Amino acid sequence: MNTGIQKRKKIDTTLKVLLALFVFTVPLWVTSPTTLQILIFLFLYAYLTTTWNLVGGFAGVLPLGHSAYVGIGAYASTVLFISYGVSPWIGMWVGGLIAAIVGIIIGIPTLKLRGAYFALSTMAFGEGVRVLVENTMQLGPFNINGPRGICVPLIPGNNIAAFQFLSKVPYYYIILIMLCVVLFITWYISRIRPGYYLAAGGEEPEAAQSLGVNVAKYKVWAMGLSCFLTALGGTFLAQLALYFYPKQILGLDFSFELAFIALIGGRGTIAGPVVGALILRPVSELTRIYLSAVLPGLHLVIFGLVLILVMLYQPKGLVGPLEKLYNWFLDKVSGTEKEVRT
Amino acid sequence: MDIIIQALINGLLTGSYYGLAALGLTIIFGVIKVINFAHGSLLMVGMFAAYWMVRLTGWHPYAALIVVVPLLFLFGYALQGILIKPILEGQRDVREPTEVIIVTTGVWYILDNLALMIFGAEYRVVQTSITGQIFMLGDYIFPKAQLYGLITTAVTAGLVLWFLKYTKTGMSIRAASLDRDAASLMGINQYRVYNIAFGIGAMIAGIVGCVLIPFYYVFPTVGVIFDVKCFIIVVLGGLGSIPGALAGGVIVGLIESTFSQYMTSTWTELIVYVVFLAVLFIRPAGLFGEKRDW
């Protein structure tokens, strides 16, 4: 009996180590830049949805304007680079700080409101930021170029200080490490006291408050942290694409996509956003590549259907059934029974 | 001065159909406590239905109401009954299940992109008997199509208020919106009431579709423009409040028309967002909202 459990643990660890090895060695044997680019975007979405999940999942509210913070990160680091030659590596922290301050200012009044009000006000805020940027050519000393967007000036060759590389491999490792860091932060928060307060406040705000938890305070902190980390992702996106414009990086569609990836994967769980990105990104990429020429819009019809089906049959997200499947597999291989494991 | 008064008139006329569009949304929220993210798409469906009616039969756009209104009512009734009811049943103790927001967004994506696949992305206009006609009152211009829109808004709002106040179904809707458990104990079939409320909301979106046809473009993503506007209007007026939706619509219409006299019209959009956020900071319940709803 005991040997079964030990064996199970061993297989579990081995599989996880193999997965980590696999993910970290991908660029050694994948040479196609296109494949790498798809993987980089997949990790970027996983990163952004994980940061969204800090407030959208654990705090139990539904922010629908997170593209605003991606945009703040991208614009901050890029205008600093253009105007003063500040390295994006420094600019990204400036963007993060601005995003955190903005997020806290927006969060203080709105996080006290009920779900629907919060969702609508974050959405209106995100759209407001987009309209503001689209109508502004010059913001103080910075040229933000209105609706046409900004190009990040090209620096020839690989330039670590300028956050620009010819090959996709450095981008791959940067975003992979960023993803690991936010996953670690999420894991860490979920097992310290403020994390428990946050989860309690997200699920039963009245009950948590009656036990003396200052729910609003923890939600505001979560919002600040989430916005900060989201903006760092924005800088990465800017350096990867080297061109961005308000409708794309500050658009409603982008905000919605981030929220829905997390919700389909499983909000409030650590692996949920990654699972969501892993499933939805390839679906939307492939349908867009192969079907949009035949039937424009079909990929979004499929996306909509997936959303509805998941919400009707797995409202807690896909991470639950996948975890069950994985456990079933482990039990099968190691020969342990459910009763023994408990 | 003349220009200002004309701008106020235009704002009132525009605001009235904004208010009508928001009315459907606020009724649904008031009863079921869910935000229908597919509201703009229902409006788009209504517009396309009205467009094809006028295009194929050459009828007056308001005659299309005979077909569009029952069609959209049934559509909304079925949408609530098939997709939203299972979620509400599964989450009885949750007051505002976010799953509904996601499901209705799924409906939004599906409807908008089906329209794109079937009708293509082009902007369509239809020449109706009232398109481009104006009515003069002194020196001031009232486009006829929009004036009819204002009257339609007033009539629709009046009918809805009468229906909610004096009919038996209306009373059960109000009872369910006050306290769903108590209403169920009184023998009201909660989910039937929800279906009807959703049907009425969708029906009003259909009415807006007919109102818009004579002077507005029809295209698959037309709903998105109204979606965001309606969200702002209902929160401004107070979620669930019928007078709030109408007042919010007029406020947004007036902001757009008067400020566009002094600045480029893209900036007026920003002013709407700023006013919206300011209201949220100062009075989160909105102008006519009740405290229990936020």
Side-chain angles (χ1 to χ4, degrees):
Chain A
M1 223 158 64
N2 235 338
T3 52
I5 296 174
Q6 275 168 358
K7 197 176 162 197
R8 189 176 187 281
K9 228 174 198 163
K10 224 173 178 177
I11 297 170
D12 186 28
T13 325
T14 320
L15 281 175
K16 279 173 184 161
V17 170
L18 276 178
L19 178 73
L21 266 177
F22 172 78
V23 171
F24 273 92
T25 55
V26 161
L28 297 182
W29 39 272
V30 170
T31 46
S32 148
T34 323
T35 317
L36 270 185
Q37 179 87 344
I38 290 174
L39 286 174
I40 291 167
F41 265 102
L42 201 158
F43 289 148
L44 176 62
Y45 271 85
Y47 172 87
L48 291 173
T49 30
T50 306
T51 61
W52 180 92
N53 194 36
L54 280 175
V55 56
F58 290 104
V61 290
L62 189 67
L64 290 177
H66 252 51
S67 68
Y69 307 106
V70 181
I72 287 172
Y75 272 98
S77 67
T78 309
V79 294
L80 284 175
F81 183 58
I82 294 174
S83 305
Y84 302 123
V86 177
S87 160
W89 288 109
I90 298 165
M92 76 197 284
W93 299 99
V94 178
L97 273 180
I98 297 172
I101 292 166
V102 172
I104 288 172
I105 292 173
I106 292 298
I108 286 171
T110 54
L111 281 164
K112 286 187 208 135
L113 306 174
R114 277 197 191 271
Y117 275 90
F118 180 78
L120 294 184
S121 46
T122 46
M123 196 169 139
F125 170 71
E127 281 293 272
V129 171
R130 177 183 62 80
V131 175
L132 178 69
V133 173
E134 278 183 350
N135 282 294
T136 313
M137 296 306 281
Q138 196 80 24
L139 188 74
F142 306 116
N143 179 13
I144 60 171
N145 216 10
R148 272 173 296 181
I150 307 190
C151 282
V152 181
L154 279 175
I155 307 293
N158 284 318
N159 193 324
I160 297 172
F163 204 141
Q164 286 186 21
F165 308 98
L166 291 174
S167 142
K168 294 284 170 207
V169 179
Y171 289 111
Y172 181 89
Y173 282 113
I174 291 168
I175 194 64
L176 187 58
I177 290 164
M178 283 169 79
L179 177 61
C180 291
V181 170
V182 288
L183 284 174
F184 175 76
I185 292 174
T186 315
W187 173 81
Y188 181 70
I189 285 178
S190 72
R191 44 181 36 226
I192 55 173
R193 191 175 272 261
Y196 290 129
Y197 287 158
L198 200 58
E203 278 181 19
E204 290 282 352
E206 279 91 5
Q209 243 150 4
S210 69
L211 292 174
V213 176
N214 189 344
V215 173
K217 188 179 98 184
Y218 290 105
K219 283 187 178 178
V220 168
W221 282 118
M223 179 84 172
L225 181 63
S226 165
C227 297
F228 178 82
L229 294 168
T230 304
L232 301 188
T235 300
F236 179 85
L237 179 57
Q239 295 307 123
L240 176 68
L242 295 172
Y243 168 64
F244 53 90
Y245 56 99
K247 234 192 166 79
Q248 161 223 1
I249 205 165
L250 293 166
L252 202 57
D253 295 338
F254 192 27
S255 291
F256 274 39
E257 208 177 351
L258 295 182
F260 293 151
I261 288 175
L263 288 158
I264 286 180
R267 72 196 292 204
T269 61
I270 296 165
V274 181
V275 168
L278 214 59
I279 295 170
L280 280 183
R281 281 307 299 169
V283 168
S284 67
E285 292 273 359
L286 291 174
T287 46
R288 188 157 49 203
I289 293 167
Y290 292 107
L291 299 173
S292 66
V294 198
L295 286 166
L298 185 61
H299 69 280
L300 283 172
V301 174
I302 294 172
F303 194 69
L305 273 176
V306 171
L307 275 179
I308 293 175
L309 290 175
V310 170
M311 281 305 126
L312 286 182
Y313 298 107
Q314 283 299 336
K316 296 259 175 284
L318 293 176
V319 76
L322 285 175
E323 216 174 347
K324 250 187 215 157
L325 191 75
Y326 180 68
N327 280 330
W328 174 85
F329 170 77
L330 280 185
D331 283 338
K332 200 87 186 162
V333 176
S334 56
T336 44
E337 294 297 324
K338 267 217 170 93
E339 301 86 64
V340 183
R341 258 201 301 122
T342 52
Chain B
M1 196 60 210
D2 275 4
I3 296 172
I4 303 283
I5 292 175
Q6 184 65 53
L8 290 175
I9 291 169
N10 292 344
L12 182 68
L13 292 173
T14 318
S16 71
Y17 66 78
Y18 285 171
L20 189 58
L23 184 62
L25 194 67
T26 214
I27 288 173
I28 294 173
F29 182 86
V31 181
I32 319 176
K33 310 290 175 216
V34 300
I35 304 249
N36 173 23
F37 269 54
H39 198 69
S41 303
L42 291 173
L43 197 147
M44 181 271 299
V45 171
M47 278 181 90
F48 264 105
Y51 169 84
W52 285 111
M53 281 296 295
V54 174
R55 182 80 187 273
L56 296 175
T57 61
W59 286 357
H60 191 279
Y62 285 80
L65 284 171
I66 303 167
V67 177
V68 175
V69 164
L71 182 79
L72 265 290
F73 179 82
L74 290 177
F75 195 77
Y77 193 97
L79 194 65
Q80 152 73 26
I82 297 167
L83 291 181
I84 300 173
K85 191 179 143 201
I87 293 174
L88 295 175
E89 280 176 334
Q91 314 239 345
R92 258 175 231 281
D93 50 336
V94 182
R95 191 172 169 283
E96 286 170 13
T98 37
E99 284 82 357
V100 177
I101 291 182
I102 301 144
V103 165
T104 49
T105 311
V107 173
W108 158 4
Y109 284 0
I110 293 175
L111 287 178
D112 279 18
N113 289 289
L114 278 181
L116 178 70
M117 281 155 70
I118 298 168
F119 302 118
E122 69 258 44
Y123 286 42
R124 295 156 185 268
V125 271
V126 63
Q127 203 65 34
T128 65
S129 50
I130 51 172
T131 302
Q133 291 204 19
I134 54 164
F135 172 80
M136 298 288 288
L137 189 75
D139 288 336
Y140 304 113
I141 304 165
F142 292 79
K144 256 190 188 167
Q146 299 197 26
L147 194 61
Y148 290 169
L150 177 75
I151 297 165
T152 314
T153 302
V155 172
T156 312
L159 282 175
V160 166
L161 284 173
W162 170 82
F163 172 79
L164 289 177
K165 198 150 188 169
Y166 295 110
T167 64
K168 202 162 177 211
T169 319
M171 285 188 231
S172 52
I173 289 179
R174 278 192 296 142
S177 84
L178 282 174
D179 189 330
R180 46 179 87 161
D181 297 327
S184 302
L185 289 173
M186 296 298 120
I188 290 169
N189 183 343
Q190 191 186 344
Y191 294 111
R192 192 174 149 266
V193 165
Y194 288 174
N195 290 352
I196 292 172
F198 212 100
I200 293 173
M203 182 186 90
I204 294 173
I207 297 176
V208 183
C210 294
V211 167
L212 288 176
I213 278 298
F215 60 91
Y216 216 92
Y217 296 104
V218 191
F219 53 98
T221 51
V222 66
V224 182
I225 300 170
F226 283 91
D227 253 331
V228 180
K229 275 210 173 93
C230 288
F231 293 156
I232 287 178
I233 290 167
V234 291
V235 175
L236 211 56
L239 269 169
S241 156
I242 290 174
L246 298 176
V250 171
I251 290 171
V252 170
L254 287 176
I255 290 174
E256 286 185 355
S257 68
T258 47
F259 279 90
S260 63
Q261 304 296 319
Y262 305 103
M263 52 184 78
T264 42
S265 60
T266 41
W267 272 108
T268 62
E269 215 183 321
L270 186 68
I271 290 175
V272 173
Y273 289 119
V274 170
V275 169
F276 169 81
L277 287 173
V279 168
L280 266 183
F281 276 63
I282 300 160
R283 193 180 150 74
L287 300 172
F288 292 80
E290 291 167 49
K291 192 158 194 284
R292 64 188 170 88
D293 272 343
W294 57 277

